[in-house]
Amino acid sequence: MALKPSTIALISTAVVASFGLGFLIYYDSKRRSDPQFKKQLKRERKKAAKQEKLQKEKEITSVEGLIASVLETVANEDFPESAQEKEAYFMEKVALGEALCKEGREDDAVLPFYKALKIYPAPLELIMIYQKTVPEKVFRIIVNLMAVEQQKRQSEFYDLFPPAELNIKLQPTSTEGEKTKHTLVADRDFNQGEVVYVESPLISALHPQLEGSYCNFCMKKLTDDSKIECTNCDQVAFCSKECETKGSEQYHTFLCSNSKLTSDNKAVEFRSYAQINNVKYPQMIAQFLSSMVAEEMEKNKLGKDAPRYSAWDHIERFNQQELQANEETVKEATMIKELLASKVPGIDEFLSDEIYLLLKGKLNENTFEIPAASDVAVEKSMEPARSLATGSSGVGSSLYKISTFIGKSDNADDSNISIEFRDNSNVLTATASKNIKKGDEIRSFYV
């Protein structure tokens, strides 16, 4: 009697299943009872583990070689300088990268995509686009390339900053976890009374209640003769055309409320929040983020003559106070993102709660309170700041690239420099309060 095809298929499936189950039972029995089988199994596992390790090492070596090759090629590349040439170059490299990916040549696609990134005016924005559009492997290698370049810049940082003409050096002294501590030392002898260096701040902010009475850029007291109001808003004023130009170029263009032109916008709400809560640091963080964009725009103009290190390279090295997110910090970060959304590409993705807490922690740890020439009628902010204890109320806070690393003395007698803010501005002057020998740590007393 002939069997139906369906019956044959059913019997075959049953036989295969029985054989598979029987093999598993046999395998488990041998594994538990046969010493030689155990040894053989152990050898096979070791062999498999070794092969897996070798394969991973091969992949890592391949990626490391690719990264080294890309960085060498990019270092020798003559990038276009005009806006029109950059746009054509960018489109060409992106199109080439996409074509290579379609052909399955993902390793080859890394170079053109990275070249495109190097000349793009808003790298953060492009990275966000790459994350969504290029293959995962290509994206990971591009991120690794950025990390390697950043690490290389960091290793060269101490040779170029502070500038050699200042005759002071920044030295990494110890590492705690992922944090490196730094010491500021003299690179030559200084005599008592000699000016060691003069420094303008990286970012500053007035007490919100003093806006319009003091210069928004240098913090000098305004007079009727010196007061220059912003053309588009009634929120800030400057003491000179020079301060107005610098303030506008570095940050105010991005933060201006345009209140003379419109009555309802995020900038007015942001400034109102700062005044009601008597806080400066959200404003300083908004300025810092704006200055990063202005810095990138200037870098594109200068090309190869642009400064090698960005504001982020500097602030990254500052110590920070560890903070926990709360309703207030989340609100502040959200307000800044809403304020800058139309002017700073990629701000929503970049300014996470973690980044905001990092920046605020840096300010809490490192800003200096700028003393006023006379008492000012403002409520003292609860935000931490280094105070020179001059007895006068402060007009605001400033953050400095060099002065952040001044060592703190326990008392005035133990310090070897004195800090002054001459002309009642936020420009810091460090003067030797005693003879300083080459290699001595730069120290000052502050509370």
Side-chain angles (χ1 to χ4, degrees):
M1 177 179 173
L3 295 176
K4 296 180 181 179
S6 59
T7 305
I8 295 172
L10 182 61
I11 293 172
S12 300
T13 302
V15 170
V16 171
S18 298
F19 175 77
L21 182 60
F23 178 77
L24 290 176
I25 294 172
Y26 167 78
Y27 179 87
D28 184 62
S29 174
K30 295 286 285 182
R31 179 180 61 82
R32 286 186 285 107
S33 62
D34 189 339
Q36 289 301 118
F37 186 81
K38 287 182 180 179
K39 289 180 181 180
Q40 177 64 22
L41 185 60
K42 190 174 182 181
R43 283 194 294 268
E44 289 177 356
R45 284 176 177 170
K46 282 186 177 181
K47 184 178 179 181
K50 185 177 181 180
Q51 288 177 339
E52 184 179 358
K53 182 180 178 182
L54 289 172
Q55 180 62 28
K56 286 183 178 179
E57 289 176 350
K58 184 178 178 181
E59 290 175 0
I60 291 172
T61 301
S62 175
V63 170
E64 288 176 347
L66 176 60
I67 288 174
S69 174
V70 169
L71 291 178
E72 182 180 359
T73 303
V74 168
N76 296 320
E77 182 84 356
D78 288 325
F79 290 104
E81 296 186 5
S82 72
Q84 187 175 2
E85 289 174 333
K86 284 183 177 181
E87 183 178 359
Y89 181 92
F90 173 80
M91 297 302 292
E92 175 193 340
K93 297 306 174 187
V94 169
L96 176 58
E98 290 175 344
L100 290 169
C101 284
K102 287 181 180 178
E103 294 175 11
R105 299 166 58 189
E106 294 184 350
D107 285 359
D108 294 332
V110 171
L111 179 59
F113 278 131
Y114 199 63
K115 284 183 176 181
L117 179 67
K118 296 294 288 184
I119 57 99
Y120 195 73
L124 178 64
E125 179 185 26
L126 185 56
I127 281 294
M128 299 300 175
I129 295 172
Y130 279 172
Q131 187 175 20
K132 297 174 183 176
T133 57
V134 305
E136 183 183 355
K137 179 184 177 182
V138 175
F139 176 74
R140 282 191 285 104
I141 294 176
I142 289 173
V143 171
N144 283 334
L145 279 162
M146 295 174 68
V148 171
E149 276 204 306
Q150 174 69 4
Q151 191 175 34
K152 184 179 179 182
R153 283 201 306 271
Q154 288 179 352
S155 66
E156 297 171 347
F157 183 87
Y158 303 102
D159 294 330
L160 301 174
F161 180 83
E165 60 268 22
L166 295 185
N167 296 298
I168 51 177
K169 280 190 173 182
L170 185 63
Q171 295 181 344
T173 54
S174 62
T175 301
E176 295 181 359
E178 297 180 355
K179 297 179 182 177
T180 301
K181 289 192 173 183
H182 300 83
T183 301
L184 193 64
V185 300
D187 200 33
R188 69 166 175 85
D189 293 348
F190 289 93
N191 295 322
Q192 183 177 0
E194 186 178 357
V195 172
V196 179
Y197 68 88
V198 177
E199 182 180 21
S200 296
L202 175 62
I203 46 173
S204 294
L206 289 165
H207 280 290
Q209 294 87 347
L210 298 179
E211 289 287 5
S213 300
Y214 288 78
C215 178
N216 184 264
F217 185 76
C218 76
M219 296 186 174
K220 286 181 181 178
K221 176 75 173 175
L222 298 176
T223 65
D224 291 338
D225 294 333
S226 68
K227 187 173 184 177
I228 299 177
E229 291 187 351
C230 172
T231 305
N232 297 324
C233 79
D234 56 8
Q235 306 289 311
V236 304
F238 302 92
C239 70
S240 66
K241 190 66 181 176
E242 181 183 7
C243 281
E244 180 193 26
T245 300
K246 288 181 177 179
S248 296
E249 289 178 348
Q250 291 181 23
Y251 59 86
H252 188 60
T253 297
F254 301 92
L255 304 176
C256 183
S257 67
N258 295 305
S259 55
K260 292 179 180 178
L261 308 175
T262 180
S263 59
D264 182 23
N265 59 51
K266 297 296 181 182
V268 173
E269 180 184 344
F270 184 62
R271 286 199 171 273
S272 176
Y273 172 86
Q275 290 174 348
I276 293 171
N277 293 277
N278 191 26
V279 291
K280 308 178 296 296
Y281 292 172
Q283 175 72 20
M284 290 179 74
I285 291 172
Q287 284 188 17
F288 175 72
L289 296 170
S290 300
S291 70
M292 285 177 64
V293 179
E295 188 177 60
E296 192 64 32
M297 292 168 63
E298 183 66 15
K299 181 179 176 181
N300 289 330
K301 288 181 184 178
L302 296 175
K304 293 180 179 179
D305 296 327
R308 182 165 174 76
Y309 297 101
S310 67
W312 186 265
D313 286 316
H314 287 280
I315 206 167
E316 200 173 32
R317 287 167 174 77
F318 298 166
N319 291 334
Q320 73 182 78
Q321 185 183 92
E322 296 297 334
L323 301 175
Q324 297 295 322
N326 55 39
E327 185 177 343
E328 178 185 83
T329 61
V330 171
K331 180 177 181 179
E332 290 168 359
T334 300
M335 292 179 73
I336 291 175
K337 285 190 282 190
E338 291 175 347
L339 172 63
L340 297 175
S342 63
K343 298 177 181 179
V344 180
I347 187 64
D348 193 58
E349 292 86 356
F350 177 76
L351 190 59
S352 62
D353 290 343
E354 184 181 14
I355 292 292
Y356 185 78
L357 291 174
L358 179 146
L359 292 172
K360 194 167 185 179
K362 301 277 187 181
L363 296 178
N364 282 353
E365 188 73 17
N366 302 294
T367 54
F368 283 85
E369 183 179 75
I370 307 302
S374 57
D375 287 340
V376 290
V378 294
E379 180 185 354
K380 188 172 179 64
S381 173
M382 295 301 293
E383 296 167 313
R386 300 175 183 180
S387 173
L388 303 182
T390 58
S392 63
S393 301
V395 298
S397 294
S398 294
L399 182 70
Y400 300 84
K401 294 178 182 178
I402 298 173
S403 301
T404 286
F405 300 104
I406 292 175
K408 183 179 180 181
S409 299
D410 295 330
N411 53 66
D413 293 334
D414 187 45
S415 64
N416 55 16
I417 66 162
S418 61
I419 295 174
E420 298 176 274
F421 297 95
R422 297 178 181 177
D423 300 325
N424 299 317
S425 74
N426 55 15
V427 178
L428 185 152
T429 301
T431 305
S433 57
K434 59 179 66 172
N435 292 336
I436 302 174
K437 295 294 184 182
K438 181 178 179 179
D440 286 352
E441 180 185 1
I442 303 297
R443 303 183 311 277
S444 185
F445 176 70
Y446 53 82
V447 293

